Amino acid sequence: EIKQRVIADFSRAHFFNTLADPDRQRLIDILTLGERSKMDAIAGGRIGQPPSAERMAAINQSVDQSVRELIGDATFGEYIEHQKNAPHRTVVELLNGNIAEPLSEPTAQSLIAILREEAESMKSLQSSGGDPQSMQASLSKMAERVEKQASTILTTDQLSALKGTLSQLFRLQNPKR
């Protein structure tokens, strides 16, 4: 299952499709092993307590180094960009699961760009160590901005589903609400 998710995710990346078959398979193996390592780290921790940031960073660093060695420095930037968009692609995948017809690729890419831009604006708030109440207010404002921008590219039904998807994600991030 992990391997299939890796293949589905990376098959959309330009650099992935330019690799020779043996290199593509090796990349799949590296990424699959990395995902399994992360899952093992999560499962190995105490219930309700995520693995340490240091442990996850070490896993990511090891995977990144292996990927860099395989694909080279010139292509590594494309890989990093693809990884940066992973959370935003997840939102699009969740949205697609809640609508009758999945978003077209251009619409999906536009929504990913909107989500990425808003996520960047949120990073400064998170790094400032704001209190939970102001962080929640900021998340709500971010969702409103995303919805406003997305209303120019999504249908009414798609926008409604996006609102529901964002609401679910925010509840998962802050279950005490």
Side-chain angles (χ1 to χ4, degrees):
E1 183 180 315
I2 294 171
K3 187 174 189 173
Q4 294 308 316
R5 281 191 314 225
V6 166
I7 292 169
D9 182 31
F10 278 86
S11 65
R12 292 176 278 197
H14 172 74
F15 76 90
F16 180 82
N17 295 306
T18 63
L19 296 173
D21 285 339
D23 288 343
R24 190 177 310 130
Q25 187 56 53
R26 178 73 182 121
L27 180 62
I28 291 167
D29 292 345
I30 291 168
L31 296 169
T32 300
L33 180 62
E35 289 302 309
R36 283 194 181 119
S37 296
K38 291 176 194 177
M39 291 178 75
D40 289 347
I42 291 168
R46 287 185 258 154
I47 294 176
Q49 184 177 352
S52 72
E54 294 83 14
R55 172 112 168 93
M56 296 304 272
I59 293 169
N60 287 334
Q61 186 175 21
S62 174
V63 169
D64 287 352
Q65 182 60 35
S66 295
V67 169
R68 183 188 295 264
E69 289 170 6
L70 176 68
I71 65 176
D73 289 337
T75 307
F76 188 70
E78 287 182 57
Y79 162 78
I80 292 297
E81 192 62 30
H82 185 80
Q83 291 296 80
K84 284 181 183 177
N85 286 326
H88 316 304
R89 285 192 310 277
T90 299
V91 171
V92 170
E93 289 169 13
L94 291 170
L95 172 61
N96 280 337
N98 291 323
I99 55 180
E101 187 174 321
L103 299 179
S104 68
E105 188 61 26
T107 301
Q109 291 304 315
S110 294
L111 182 55
I112 287 169
I114 291 168
L115 292 165
R116 181 180 52 233
E117 181 181 311
E118 287 302 325
E120 289 297 321
S121 71
M122 286 298 293
K123 281 184 182 178
S124 62
L125 287 171
Q126 290 172 335
S127 65
S128 68
D131 65 276
Q133 192 172 9
S134 40
M135 286 296 293
Q136 191 59 44
S138 297
L139 282 173
S140 294
K141 288 178 185 174
M142 182 196 83
E144 289 173 15
R145 289 190 306 269
V146 166
E147 291 165 14
K148 182 178 180 183
Q149 292 178 63
S151 70
T152 64
I153 60 169
L154 301 178
T155 67
T156 305
D157 290 342
Q158 292 169 337
L159 187 60
S160 177
L162 176 63
K163 289 177 184 179
T165 299
L166 292 175
S167 177
Q168 287 176 319
L169 289 172
F170 291 155
R171 276 197 303 275
L172 287 174
Q173 289 179 346
N174 189 9
K176 295 177 184 170
R177 272 188 68 199

